[in-house]
Amino acid sequence: MNTPSHLILNLAILGRRATPAWNWPIAIGSVLPDVALFFFYGWAKAMGLPEREIWSTVYYQPGWQDIFAVGNSIPLALLGLGIALWRRWPRWAVLFGSMLLHHLQDLPVHHDDAHRHFVPLSNVRFQSPISYWDPARFGAYVALVEWGLVVVASVVLWRRSRSRWGRFCLVSVNVFYGVMYGLMYLHGGGFA
Ligand SMILES: [Zn+2]
């Protein structure tokens, strides 16, 4: 899934009006698994690598794959969650719970780019028959479902919070998704 989707869905699912102090740990946990990806992309751009090469070869190099695997590990997130619950650290529990939810959202919608979600127990990659972006793997439909879920979650968050900045972000993400969807699938012929 796209990173902003994780953020909006996790805030809607795990957040509560009565516990605003949880919002930051939820937000951090929801984006943390993708942080390495942003560093990777920034580094690759700084090295002057062409876009094609970044995503077709460099992304798949073992060193980078190991770093991505740690950030996307379900067992490690469970371990963190277990320790936080045992030590009664609620905010850490929320953070690790949000990471876990991120992994569960990614698991069914990655194909070629499937993460090693079970590191360090296993290196297996679950290659889903559907992809959140690849037109050859129903990406045009999955992206529409993802956006639909984000719209529902956005309405939930809109009603929960009066923050102007938060509402501005919600509208911006949804408009951005609409524009990207139009460019990628409607204009780009992703349904073909
Ligand atoms: Zn992810």
Side-chain angles (χ1 to χ4, degrees):
M1 264 191 189
N2 295 291
T3 309
S5 306
H6 291 297
L7 175 62
I8 292 174
L9 288 176
N10 287 13
L11 280 171
I13 296 168
L14 300 174
R16 297 288 177 271
R17 203 191 293 262
T19 52
W22 286 8
N23 287 341
W24 274 109
I26 294 170
I28 294 168
S30 72
V31 298
L32 211 51
D34 291 343
V35 163
L37 210 60
F38 288 109
F39 270 103
F40 160 75
Y41 188 65
W43 166 84
K45 278 294 195 192
M47 300 294 282
L49 298 172
E51 202 79 7
R52 243 188 105 81
E53 194 181 329
I54 294 174
W55 298 115
S56 65
T57 49
V58 189
Y59 174 80
Y60 293 100
Q61 282 172 1
W64 280 111
Q65 285 294 312
D66 285 342
I67 294 172
F68 301 145
V70 169
N72 286 285
S73 163
I74 290 175
L76 292 180
L78 278 172
L79 181 68
L81 179 61
I83 292 173
L85 288 174
W86 168 54
R87 300 295 305 176
R88 294 175 203 267
W89 295 331
R91 290 185 198 187
W92 282 100
V94 169
L95 186 145
F96 283 113
S98 184
M99 286 185 82
L100 188 64
L101 197 55
H102 179 130
H103 305 331
L104 297 178
Q105 288 156 353
D106 274 349
L107 192 70
V109 292
H110 283 250
H111 179 75
D112 296 333
D113 51 0
H115 299 297
R116 281 182 286 161
H117 277 304
F118 307 101
V119 157
L121 303 179
S122 159
N123 278 320
V124 82
R125 287 172 202 270
F126 169 69
Q127 295 210 313
S128 172
I130 60 172
S131 159
Y132 75 105
W133 63 270
D134 187 354
R137 300 270 164 199
F138 308 102
Y141 304 94
V142 179
L144 201 55
V145 172
E146 176 177 331
W147 186 21
L149 292 172
V150 168
V151 168
V152 173
S154 297
V155 172
V156 170
L157 293 178
W158 183 284
R159 296 175 54 154
R160 191 184 295 157
S161 160
R162 294 193 184 283
S163 153
R164 280 199 191 169
W165 169 239
R167 288 181 167 185
F168 172 76
C169 290
L170 290 174
V171 172
S172 304
V173 168
N174 281 288
V175 169
F176 176 74
Y177 275 11
V179 171
M180 290 308 287
Y181 193 84
L183 288 175
M184 280 187 73
Y185 300 109
L186 303 178
H187 183 68
F191 280 100

